[in-house]
Amino acid sequence: MELPLNTILPGDCIAHMNALPAKSVDLVFADPPYNLQLGGELLRPDNSKVDGVDEEWDRFSDFAAYDQFTRDWLKAARRILKDDGALWVIGSYHNIFRVGSILQDLHFWMLNDIVWRKSNPMPNFRGTRFTNAHETLIWCAKSAESRYTFNYDSMKSLNDDLQMRSDWTLPLCTGGERLKSGGRKTHPTQKPESLLYRVIMASTKPGDVIVDPFFGTGTTGAVAKRLGRNFIGLERDPAYIAAAEARIAKVIPVTDPAILASVSKRSEPRIPFGTVLERGLLTPGSTLFGGTRHDKQAKVRADGTLITDIHRGSIHKVGALVQGAPACNGWTFWHFQLGKEYLPIDVLRQKIRAELH
């Protein structure tokens, strides 16, 4: 059976997943019913009604029914995931702890819980609890042995070259992004595209297949199309399907592979420092400078090691010794002088890498 790529399948998500080929998809992103336990309608201070979640799809008779539903769809999702696949699920305090427990019962391997901190949360109008300002995402691999995708360097680049943390501050879906029908929200819990952008960029590669079993108005599909990934949406509400199809049709995908590629530094060819000498980019006897004021100095030896008055060793070892540090990345610590500028020797390594492509 060929996968029905970039389509929305109407009907029950569990039945659809059970009909897909086993081990055929790379990622499942799920925004399941939260089983909200709300007490009556919620009013603002001006007595206007909050447009919340009161749809039939979020109603379960009791926790046992919700748990069985959760177990059934997670089993179906696990079956279609490739061995190196992964799953994301988002929820609130109403349901995420129950989902997490069932994930572990089914032998998924927890990787992270992500806190989506909403920069513009809805206030607690009754003043009886803290403002509910976050939701939780669980990211897990199919098993402890899975070689799951994690585009670490891409996440670091998105975060101004700082390692990305597990707390994400992103706004709710508002403004022009929020789909509306007849003046009302088309879907009460439409997720912002910025959230899915981060999830998809972090854990998939171009061309990967993403299944969203609770597709709603198609945020996953819109972002997947834009980023050159394939999606399969599962949704039983005809109104949501129509809104999602219209939305996704307007998306202009990025088609240039060079723009979409997530290059990992770990996958780049290893370049020993000695190669810099072999290529004549530095010569034996050259002086390298380290430290913020370039006040640490070392000479380059013909075998690719460095030497100071008292230290000798690799660029990393000598870099650590002159700082009194436990470790050092010599490629970024040591600089060579070019005119009046001091450039990191990593510039020379990147030049060699570029020649290899």
Side-chain angles (χ1 to χ4, degrees):
M1 173 185 174
E2 288 190 9
L3 290 174
L5 298 179
N6 305 315
T7 59
I8 306 173
L9 304 179
D12 179 70
C13 69
I14 297 171
H16 279 306
M17 284 191 284
N18 285 333
L20 292 175
K23 300 183 180 182
S24 60
V25 307
D26 301 285
L27 190 77
V28 172
F29 176 84
D31 183 8
Y34 287 7
N35 192 27
L36 298 177
Q37 298 104 58
L38 302 176
E41 65 182 23
L42 182 60
L43 302 178
R44 297 184 179 88
D46 64 2
N47 214 38
S48 61
K49 183 180 178 181
V50 173
D51 189 10
V53 182
D54 55 8
E55 279 73 4
E56 180 273 333
W57 49 257
D58 196 57
R59 298 175 193 157
F60 294 84
S61 58
D62 52 30
F63 286 130
Y66 184 78
D67 290 352
Q68 187 59 55
F69 168 74
T70 301
R71 193 170 287 107
D72 290 344
W73 77 256
L74 282 174
K75 283 181 178 178
R78 183 177 178 81
R79 191 188 71 83
I80 62 173
L81 274 176
K82 296 177 182 177
D83 289 338
D84 292 333
L87 178 144
W88 288 80
V89 60
I90 185 171
S92 73
Y93 65 91
H94 294 276
N95 73 320
I96 198 64
F97 304 108
R98 309 188 76 85
V99 173
S101 175
I102 295 169
L103 280 167
Q104 291 182 316
D105 288 344
L106 296 177
H107 307 294
F108 282 92
W109 184 254
M110 299 294 189
L111 298 172
N112 275 115
D113 65 325
I114 304 292
V115 174
W116 168 30
R117 182 174 176 269
K118 302 172 184 177
S119 58
N120 53 344
M122 184 175 67
N124 184 274
F125 294 112
R126 290 175 178 160
T128 55
R129 304 182 186 182
F130 296 110
T131 296
N132 184 28
H134 77 276
E135 292 184 34
T136 300
L137 297 94
I138 296 174
W139 176 38
C140 53
K142 188 173 180 179
S143 73
E145 292 75 36
S146 296
R147 297 171 62 88
Y148 57 89
T149 295
F150 178 44
N151 298 316
Y152 169 83
D153 293 308
S154 295
M155 291 298 96
K156 193 174 178 182
S157 297
L158 283 173
N159 198 38
D160 285 341
D161 212 30
L162 295 173
Q163 187 178 72
M164 189 171 284
R165 297 165 26 137
S166 61
D167 51 339
W168 300 351
T169 301
L170 298 167
L172 288 165
C173 182
T174 57
E177 186 183 338
R178 169 66 78 172
L179 302 184
K180 292 188 177 181
S181 305
R184 288 175 54 90
K185 298 173 185 175
T186 303
H187 193 292
T189 62
Q190 180 183 336
K191 296 300 183 289
E193 290 192 11
S194 59
L195 183 68
L196 269 297
Y197 190 102
R198 194 169 289 188
V199 166
I200 290 172
M201 278 294 296
S203 51
T204 64
K205 300 183 289 291
D208 277 359
V209 178
I210 305 166
V211 167
D212 185 334
F214 307 98
F215 200 61
T217 51
T219 303
T220 300
V223 178
K225 181 179 177 181
R226 182 171 292 117
L227 294 176
R229 277 69 167 171
N230 297 295
F231 70 87
I232 301 172
L234 313 176
E235 178 54 56
R236 64 183 185 181
D237 188 303
Y240 294 163
I241 293 173
E245 288 176 337
R247 175 188 188 182
I248 295 168
K250 297 176 183 176
V251 173
I252 300 174
V254 176
T255 56
D256 185 347
I259 300 298
L260 292 172
S262 296
V263 179
S264 169
K265 292 179 181 177
R266 297 176 185 176
S267 66
E268 293 179 331
R270 181 177 176 273
I271 307 295
F273 179 63
T275 307
V276 174
L277 300 179
E278 293 170 344
R279 296 290 186 93
L281 300 177
L282 286 176
T283 58
S286 298
T287 300
L288 298 184
F289 304 87
T292 55
R293 296 190 299 273
H294 309 299
D295 54 349
K296 312 292 185 186
Q297 296 185 18
K299 295 282 188 181
V300 178
R301 302 177 76 218
D303 62 0
T305 59
L306 302 187
I307 187 170
T308 70
D309 291 342
I310 56 174
H311 303 303
R312 179 179 299 174
S314 71
I315 57 172
H316 312 296
K317 179 180 178 181
V318 175
L321 289 171
V322 298
Q323 297 178 86
C328 170
N329 182 346
W331 289 106
T332 55
F333 176 74
W334 292 111
H335 292 63
F336 66 100
Q337 192 169 7
L338 184 67
K340 295 183 179 180
E341 288 188 281
Y342 292 90
L343 302 176
I345 59 174
D346 195 41
V347 169
L348 305 177
R349 178 171 64 163
Q350 295 307 324
K351 177 178 173 62
I352 296 171
R353 280 180 172 157
E355 292 172 354
L356 294 175
H357 291 300

